[in-house]
Amino acid sequence: MTNIDNTPIENTTSANNILPQFVDQLRHLYGIIVQNTYVKDTAKHLNRIIQDANNQTMILIVGKERVGKTTLVNGLLGREILSVDDQHPTSVNTFIRYGEQEEIKAYFLDGVVAVFDLSKLELLTTGDTFASQILREHLDYLEVYLKNDLLKSVTIIDSVSLEAGGGEMAYFSEALMNRVDEIFWVLRAGSMAMDAELLLIETLKNKGVEPLCVINGIDDEEHATAFMDSEQQRIGHLMSDFIGISAINALVAKQTDSHELWQKSQYDQLIAHIHRVAEHSDKKTYAILIRFLQWLERFRFELTVIPQRDPFQSAVENIEKYAGDTQYEYSRYQRDLAIVKEYEQEYEQVANTFKQVQTLYQLLQTIAQHDYLHDSKVEEFTEIAVHYQQMLREYRNMHSEYLREYERLDAQHKKIHGKGLMKAFFGQHTQNEFFKERVQKLNEQQEVCVAQYAKVQQAEVSMLQAIRDTQPFLIDLVKVRMSRIEQKVQKLNQQRAKDKRQLKRYAEKLNEFSCLIEAQGYIKEHLQPFLMNEQMPLKSKDIAMLEETVQAILAIDLSNNGLLARSQMNNKMESIAIPFEVQEKYPLQMLDLREEDVKSNDIPEIPKKLVVQYED
C-alpha cells in the first residue's frame, strides 16, 4: 500500500526487534496521560497506535455504494456472514477478526461494549427496524469474531461507503486509513472511479499511500478486461496494482465447493496479495514510528491549549455536559433499554424452545434450528433418532411393496380359481406353477419384512433409551443459554454503575494535571533517547521533526496551572439498574416427551407367511 521512501533493508531486522520495546515505552506513556481526561481523545489515539502495533495486519475495504465491498468480504470468508442490502448499505465500520468463539462486540460512542450473537449482525448493520436505528445512532464500530483461518494473519475492515458532494473530494475517516496496513479500493466493472474518489486517492498518493485497485463484477461485465485496461491507463499512477475479481463467484464457489467457479473468481490473486501484505512487517514498523511522531505533534497542540484556558472552568463544563445534560442521558438510557429489550426477546425465545415440541420429529427440527443445542452428546442422540426413523421408513416401504405384490397376485388368483390366496387346496390348473413361484417370492419378501421389523424394534429400544438420557441434558443447555443472557444484562448494568463511579472520580481529579508534567519528563528522559538511537529506521527529516516537537513540548509550562477540586458535584446521571425480570414472565418450557410421543404407533403388522397348496 505505502511507498515510505523505500525503507533501507539493513534497518529491517533492527526495526522489527525494536518494535516490541517501543510498544512497551508507549504503554508506559499511555498509562501516564490516560489519567487526565482533558487529553482523553489524544490518549485514545495513542492506545490505537499501541493496539495496531500488536495487532495483526489490517486491510481496509473502501469504495462507493453498491460496488460489492461486503460481498467481497463474504467471498473471502466463504460464507454470507455480513448482510448485503441494496436499500440499506453497511452503515458502521466492521472489524472482522479471528476468534474461537463466534460473536459480535458492539462498541458504542460512550465506551459501552455489548456482546451479541452472530445472528444479530444484520440488526446492527443494515436492519431498518426502530431498535436497529436506535442502536446504530450510538455505535462507534463493530468487531465480528469468526473462526476462519484467513483471519489468523489479517483483520479485514468492511467500511461504510464513501461520501461525496458535487465536485468535492470524497470523505472517509482519515484516522481509520492511517491505522491500516493496506487499502483495497473497490470499483465495479463498468463503473469508473468518480472524480470525488480520485481527489481522495490523489491525497493518499501525496502521503505515500497507494491502494490496491480491486475491480469487482468481472462475471457481469462482458467488457471487464477492456474496462480494467482503461482504468489502468487513467488512474494506474495512483494505484499499487489492479486485480479483477468476481465476489459472487467466489462466494458461490465456497458454498458449492466448485473449483471451476473459484478459478473464475480470481480470488487466489487477492488472497496471495493479502498474505504478502501480512508478511511484510518492516513497513509496519516504520509506519508505527511515523504515526507516533504525528501523535507527538497532536499531543504538543493539546498541551499548548491547556494554559490558555481556565482549566477548572473547562473541566466543570465537560462534567456538567456529561452529567447534567438530561437530553444526553435520556438518549443513552433509551439506547440501553433497546439493548435490554433485544436480550428479553432472545430470553423469551430460548425459554420457549421446547414449547411446541410434542413429537420426535419436532424435537429433531428444534435441535437443528438452535445452535445452543449443538453438542457432541446431542449429536449422538440425533444420529440414533434419525437411524430409528430411517429403519422405520425402510420397513414401511418394504411392507407397502409386499402388499402391492400380494394384492396383484391375489387378484390374478381369484380370476383363475375363483378365490383369493389362502391356506387351502386348489384344483389343477396350468397356471399353478406360476402361482407357486410367485407365492415363494412373496414369502421371501415377507422374510425381508420380518428382518427389517426386528431392526426397527432394536432401533426403537436404542432411541427410547437415548431420549430418556438426552432430555435432561437439553434442558440444561437451554438453562445455560438463559443464564448467559441474564449475565449480559448484568454486565450492562455493571457498566452503568461503573460509569457513575467514573463520573465521581472526574470531580475528585479535576486538578490533577501533574500527570501531564510527568509525561513531559518521560518523553525527555526515555522516549527521545530511545528514538534517537542510530539503529532506529528513522530518516534525517524524521529525526529533525522529533527534536523540534519534543523541544516544543518541554517548553510548555504547566506547573502554575493547578486546579481546585470540587468537593461535591450534582450527579444527575441515571444510575438505576435496568430491570430484567424475565424468570416469572417467561418460565422455562420443559421437555418431557414420553414413550408414546416419540415411537411410531402405526407400524404395520408383519405380514403372515403364505401356505398355498395345489393338487398334483
Side-chain angles (χ1 to χ4, degrees), residues 110-256:
D110 61 354
V112 170
V113 180
V115 179
F116 292 88
D117 293 327
L118 208 55
S119 60
K120 298 297 182 182
L121 188 54
E122 181 179 358
L123 169 78
L124 296 167
T125 56
T126 61
D128 59 355
T129 64
F130 180 67
S132 296
Q133 295 169 5
I134 290 179
L135 292 175
R136 284 203 298 274
E137 285 177 3
H138 296 272
L139 268 177
D140 188 6
Y141 63 97
L142 296 175
E143 286 184 347
V144 178
Y145 290 86
L146 301 174
K147 193 174 183 179
N148 182 290
D149 287 342
L150 180 63
L151 299 177
K152 290 180 178 178
S153 58
V154 297
T155 292
I156 301 172
I157 308 171
D158 184 26
S159 68
V160 298
S161 299
L162 292 170
E163 297 180 13
E168 298 177 350
M169 181 175 71
Y171 170 77
F172 196 85
S173 170
E174 182 178 357
L176 184 56
M177 284 189 171
N178 287 339
R179 293 182 62 192
V180 301
D181 301 284
E182 178 67 289
I183 297 175
F184 286 179
W185 204 285
V186 184
L187 301 177
R188 177 165 288 281
S191 178
M192 297 189 304
M194 58 186 179
D195 291 341
E197 287 180 274
L198 297 184
L199 289 174
L200 179 54
I201 298 172
E202 288 173 355
T203 301
L204 294 175
K205 174 75 173 181
N206 293 334
K207 296 179 179 180
V209 178
E210 294 180 356
L212 172 72
C213 184
V214 180
I215 297 179
N216 185 25
I218 59 174
D219 55 312
D220 290 335
E221 175 59 47
E222 60 177 326
H223 304 298
T225 302
F227 173 80
M228 183 180 295
D229 292 340
S230 173
E231 285 297 90
Q232 283 181 303
Q233 290 289 331
R234 190 169 73 98
I235 62 174
H237 62 289
L238 300 174
M239 301 291 185
S240 63
D241 202 353
F242 285 73
I243 293 179
I245 63 156
S246 169
I248 289 293
N249 278 350
L251 184 57
V252 175
K254 286 289 188 179
Q255 293 173 338
T256 61

Side-chain angles (χ1 to χ4, degrees), residues 3 10 20 25 51 62 69 129 164 167 176 200 235 255 258 269 291 305 314 348 361 434 446 450-451 481 483 501 528:
N3 296 325
E10 60 269 19
Q25 300 265 14
Q51 290 175 348
V62 177
K69 300 187 297 296
T129 64
L176 184 56
L200 179 54
I235 62 174
Q255 293 173 338
S258 170
Q269 297 181 49
R291 283 179 60 190
V305 170
S314 298
E348 179 184 9
Y361 173 80
F434 165 80
Q446 187 265 352
V450 171
R481 185 70 166 195
S483 176
R501 293 192 299 269
Q528 186 179 17

Side-chain angles (χ1 to χ4, degrees), residues 589-608:
Q589 299 297 311
M590 301 301 292
L591 177 64
D592 187 21
L593 294 178
R594 295 164 297 178
E595 181 175 318
E596 56 267 29
D597 297 325
V598 296
K599 60 183 289 188
S600 178
N601 295 319
D602 59 342
I603 303 178
E605 292 184 0
I606 301 174
K608 296 180 179 179

